[in-house]
Each structure stands twice: as C-alpha cells, then as structure tokens.
Amino acid sequence: MSLFKARDWWSTVLGEKEEFDQGCLCLADVDNTGNGQDKVIVGSFMGYLRIFNPHPVKTGDRAQAEDLLLEVHLRDPILQVEVGKFVSGTEMLHLAVLHSRKLCVYSVSGSLGNVEHGTQYQIKLMYEHNLQRTACNMTCGSFGGVKGRDLICIQSMDGMLMVFEQESYAFGRFLPGSLLPGPLAYSSRTDSFITVSSCRQVESYKYQVLAFATDADKRQETEQQKLGSGKRLVVDWTLNIGEQALDICIVSFNQSASSVFVLGERNFFCLKDNGQIRFMKKLDCSPSCFLPYCSVSEGTINTLIGNHNNMLHVYQDVTLKWATQLPHIPVAVRVGCLHDLKGVIVTLSDDGHLQCSYLGTDPSLFQAPKVESRELNYDELDVELKELQKIIKDVNKSQGVWPMTEREDDLKVSAMVSPNFDSVSQSTDVEVGADLVPSVTVKVTLQNRVTLQKIRLSVYVQPPLVLTCDQFTFEFMTPEMTRTVGFSVYLKGSYLPPELEGNAVVSYSRPTGIPRVSQCKFRLPLKLICLPGQPSKTASHKLTIDTNKSPVSLLSLFPGFANQSEDDQVNVMGFRFLGGSRVTLLASKTSQRYRIQSEQFEDLWLITNELIIRLQEYFEKQGIKDFACSFSGSMPLQEYFELIDHHFELRINGEKLEELLSERAVQFRAIQRRLLTRFKDKTPAPLQHLDTLLDGTYKQVIALADAVEENQDNLFQSFTRLKSATHLVILLIGLWQKLSADQIAILEAAFLPLQQDTQELGWEEMVDAAISHLLKTCLSKSSKEQALNLSSQLSIPKDTSRLKKHITLLCDRLAKGGRLCLSTDAAAPQTMIMPGGCATIPESDLEERSVEQDSTELFTSHKHLIVETPMPEVSPLQGVSE
C-alpha cells in the first residue's frame, strides 16, 4: 500500500458501461436546504441523472441505497450539469442540464415521507430551450453585472455562443475564425468569456462586445452592414500557448484581482486578467483534469491536477505540495462539503467510478530487523572472484551464452518450394507484357518444441517479385505443434530481380518472455522469370567462366529449358526473360569453359550465378569435391560504371524535379492568397489574369508531380539493375582472385549496404565510404594512408568520378596481392608479394591518377572479349553464327 494513497471516504460505481466526461460532475446544495451541505450531481452520456448525498457510517463504506437521492433517465445524452439561479423571480438554486440539442432547467425538491423510508426527492422541469445547433459545453454567471440571477452561455460545435437570459433567448454570436470548440469560462470581474481556439491561443471576448456585435442569424453581408450598421466582433486579448487546452477555470484572490487557469496537454498556465502570464508549470505526466481553489497562504492558489497515471497532484502555484494515488483515472474533480466534512475531494472516472476521498497517509508498521555485523574474509572473496572471472571468460570464448540446443530446438522453420507452377496463376496487375506470368507456391512449416507466444512470420523476396501474402500471425502455439502456411510468388514488373532467394523470418517469445528470431531461406526456380529462347549469335556483353572439369551437357544442367527444335545442340542454350531480354549460354566441347552473353550487362548475373550453382550441385552428386570455377578475363568495369552513372543521373534528376515542384507549390499558394484577398475585398478589383496564372501553375504542379513519380519508378528499376550488376562484379572478383567466403561477405557488405535507395541516403556515397575504409585499412600499403580520417557526414556527391576511381583502385590492389579482412590486426601494413616485379601502389593522389590510367588498360571494355580470348570449336553455333 502506497504511503500517499488517497483515503477512501465513500465510493460507488455508476451503472453499467456508461461513459462520463469533465462536465458530468457538479457539487452544490441543489435542493436548497440552506445547511451548507453539498450534493453530488452526476450526469452520463447514456442520459442518466443521479444525485447523491453521501453519509457513510464509517470511513471507506460503499454507497448505501439511501445515499442515492434521485435517479432519472432523461433519454438524451447529458453533456454538462450546472447549478445556479436560473429561474426568474426567485433566487433559489436550480439545476441546468445540457443535452446535445436541448437545454433543460429543473428544480430539485424533497418532501417528507409518511413512513420510515424518509424524504422523497423529485425534479420538476421549469423550462427548456431547443437548440438549433449541436451544443458542446456551457458556462454560467452574472453576465453584464446583473444581480440576483445567473445567465447561461452555450457554445455550439461550429463556434457559436448562444446566450440565454433565464427563460428567454438573448442573442447568438459566431466567434471569428472558429474551427473546433474549446473549453469555455466566464470571468465576473472583467465581464468576459475566455476560451481556447483551434489556433491554440487563449482568447477573451467582452460580454458587451458580444451583445452589440452583428447578430449570428444575419451572418451574411447585407446592404445595411455594407453601409456600416452593426459592430464587428473583436477579441479583447489573445495569448498563444502552443497546445490544445483541456479545461479553463477562473479563481479570484479578492475583489481586485483574479487569475485565469488553463490546463494544456503538457503544461498548465496561470494568466492575469489582461492575458499576461503570471506563471506556468510543465507537467511530467499527461493531465486529465484540474481544479484551482484558494490557498490558505496569502497570494497563492492551490491546484488539484489529475493525470493518466492514476495520480492526483496538489500544487501551490508551481510547487508540488502533495501527491496521492487514486484507484482510477479521473476525468472530473471537485471539492465540497459533505456530511459536515469540509474539503472532500470528489473524483469521477470515464467509466463511472465515483469516489469521495481526503488526503492522508498510512503509517508504516514494518520495522527492518537489525543486521548482524560480521567480519569479511578477504582471502575467500579473492578466491571466489577468480572463480567467477574464469567462468565468465569460458562463457565469452564459447559461441553464445545460451546453449545451442535450446536455441535451435525452440522452433524449427523450413520452407519448401513447389516443383510445379500453380494450375491457376495468382499473378494480378502484372506489367510484364504479353507473356503469361506464372506463379509458384511456397510452403513454410513451423515446428515448435516448447510453448511459444506472439509468433509472427514475415516473408521477403526481391522486387519486382511479389507475394500474395507476406505476413502471418499466430497468437499461441502449444508444444509439439506444427503449423504450415502457403503463399504464391510471381513476377510483377518488366525488369529482373537481383536475386531469386527469399527469406522467411519468424519472431516469437519463449515461455520466459525472452524474444527470439529464427529464419529460413528458400530459392525460387529460374523458370519463374525465364522461358526457353533462341540462342543469339551476336551480343554486346560476353563473359567466360573457366572450370577445372570437363564441360557438362547443358541439357542435363538446365533440363527445363531445352529447345525442342534443336535437340542436337547440347552445348548451347537460349534463355528469354519475361521482361523481354535474352541470354545465350555456350559450353565448349574441347576446353573447360562456359560463355554467357547478352545485350544487357546486368542480365548476365542470374544465368551466370545459376550456372555456377548447378555445376556445383552436379559435381557434388557425382562425388567430386575439388570442382572450382575461375575467371581469367578482364574485369568489365566500364559497363558497370555506365550503370552507376545512369543511377546517379536519375538521383540528380529527382532532386531537380523536387526543387521545381517545391517552387511551383510556393508559387501556387502565393497566387491563392492573392486571389483570396481579392475575393474578400468589399470593393472588388480586377483579377489581372491571376485566375489564368493559377490554372497554369496548377497544371505545372500536376505535371511535375507526375514527373517525380515517373523518376522514382525509373530510379527504383535502375537501382535493381545496379544491384544485379554489383552481384555479378562481386562474383567475378571472387572467381578472379579466388576469395574466401568471408572476403566475399566483406565485398557484399561494402557494395550492397542498402536494400532500398533513397534521396537522403543513396548508394553512391555509402559505397564510396565503405570502399574508402577498406582502402585505408586492410588494403592500405602504408601507415600514412591509415592516418587519413573519413568524413563523418554522408552527402550526395557532385559526380561519380571519385567512386569509380576507388572501385578501380580496389580491384588494382586486389590484383597486386591485397586481401580483405576485418580483424584487429588489419591495420598493420600488409607486405604484398608481386609476381614478376609488379609496380607498387602509389601513395600520392597524382600517382593514383597514373594508376587509374594504367588500370584502364587492365580493366578494358568487355564488349570485344570474344576476340581477345577466342573459344575453340564451338560447333553448335554454326547454324546461328558466322
């Protein structure tokens, strides 16, 4: 039990599934007994009006039947209840009930019963006003300085103030610039209404200004208004508080001064009569209600503030004096005199918990036992510390803190790709062309050993491959349970994906609450995006892959792509992608070489990668373990650089288009403001072709927005093609220098840092930073290069020359014996042993330029590679080549 818990004096729960808000609670002597005892009046959104007179036998008692004086169902939702002198001819207190479309004033009275049941209470409708507009809230007071009666002001949802002088309607005024209604309060000392507008500023309107302003029923301009009759409604003062307000209360120190309290979403403010800030306090928790009241100290005010952490704070000006815990979140709080007990705090929650409490503490009866002092044996502590350090060191040397069996056996994820296409293709909204786009089904199976919770399966494939469903959720899985989900994959775009590999990731929670992640990769078939095609004798881009084994028949490697009309050509095969591009694969009869050729450089990647994977699988089935591939040609960097330049050009074009669009949008808004000023002017002036300029600017904005979208689509496709070309370059570098799997992983991390390209952080600057880091660490040849620091900020470069120079230098240093590593000893300069007395890596930028010129001869264009390294005896192409 908390020491500062609110002391429960009386409490009850109102109805079932009823809702309440800050205006639904009021404390007053509504039955006019004259003994100074307040009654608790509560109205609900369900239309129930209840009046309580709590008098518990002992502190903390629940509500008894006799505590409820009256309960009436008024049918309409009750927005607010207030008590005041609302009936003419008498100064008795009456109850005003605000509904959404009606204001009702009741008299509450009690009559002595003839039997032991006691006094009976009833309400009588004195009068009602039917509202033409939907009400939001109301306030009451002696508007205009009247004596002996209270007037009512109702604010509608569209910002209109309706003033009622008891039984008659006085006038209605629209607040200028009103969008959404805010809290409303009346200050009797300044005779003004204070509210908070949707502009997040406190506004004060004099009652006299409201009374003499233009009538709301004549809001449209008339001829008399044009001649100057009627007064314009102007605000007395405003104060911008920068946040929406929850409530407003006005408290008077004395007859000469009063304070306006405004409760915001994060702060509460105390203002003077003229709108100047007296003080403000930043709140630690989100508030729900508040109530200022006079303090016993001279010149200070106490404030009760309830928040969403079930707490009620008591502030004296800005100083927190007390904090007490409530059993619910209060939406309304009042202070009154109940059953001769002054200062009772009455709180109401939004679900109907009504509680009367007072502040106090619970004394702590627990006494901590005395701790026996004992002398410490430092020798034993040293021995224990060494044992613990040894255990920690052994754990750090192992692969993980958790046992592998526990991690792997919690959940097993497996994926199976169907060998056949779907009988009915699931492809929709494809942009491939005339070809029928197939789809293939993938099934993911989850097998768990223990109880798992909050299982979420996410599947990802490379675009333009799409899934029919990529998210699956299971709330609970019992032990030894198997779940299988299925989905289809198909090609949606007219370009090729950079990979045919998909990834299924499962996140879940163990019974102990520890989160875990498991994943499973699956490979999609090549025939999903490719069809058999005619071999081509000419191609702009060609690659030759060397092996250490005799060539294998392409029909056995690619059984699903055999051309029926050319069964005799076993060492040549054509592929036609669904996007329209073609790739030709040739196998030499005498040498151990394979050639891949295509019109597009990036299209070579998928067939080359598929060839190497299928060759490895073929020789593994044959039991041959020493199979290896290599690449001895020149690196095709020129074609790779063309794709980089095209991608970078689209990024620059996108920035220019966005700048133009921003300029046209600013121009469009400026023209709109000019036109609006012309239209609002009482003496219309000629438009001076502003409407024509607005129409032309609008068309330019639409055209630029379409151009931005088109450029974004082209940029996405270009980035996908760039990733395919990057995969191919990494593969060729690995075959060229016989790099290990770890070194290839470093290259992939450097060249493929992003899954998606953006304008803010692009591929070029990230790859340039990564390659520069490699050149200055593991590929550096001197400590001078290692001392150079990289820029900590990444920004779009002016051009790609620096990036292309670094890629060329990376290949040059790998060719001269450099090796990639990320270990701590990589900073030490590596001694490169050059065969045949090769030149050293230059240290200055001038020498780098000379290396770049020399390397252009080493990394020449690959378009004429067939002439430089002719393939012997490729006889099956006699029918389709020279």
Side-chain angles (χ1 to χ4, degrees), residues 740-757:
S740 62
D742 293 338
Q743 292 176 322
I744 292 178
I746 295 174
L747 277 182
E748 289 178 348
F751 278 88
L752 297 169
L754 297 174
Q755 285 292 337
Q756 187 174 0
D757 201 15

Side-chain angles (χ1 to χ4, degrees), residues 486-515:
F487 50 88
S488 297
V489 188
Y490 61 91
L491 183 70
K492 188 174 183 179
S494 59
Y495 52 100
L496 298 180
E499 286 182 295
L500 289 176
E501 194 175 68
N503 196 9
V505 180
V506 183
S507 61
Y508 60 93
S509 297
R510 300 192 73 250
T512 57
I514 301 175

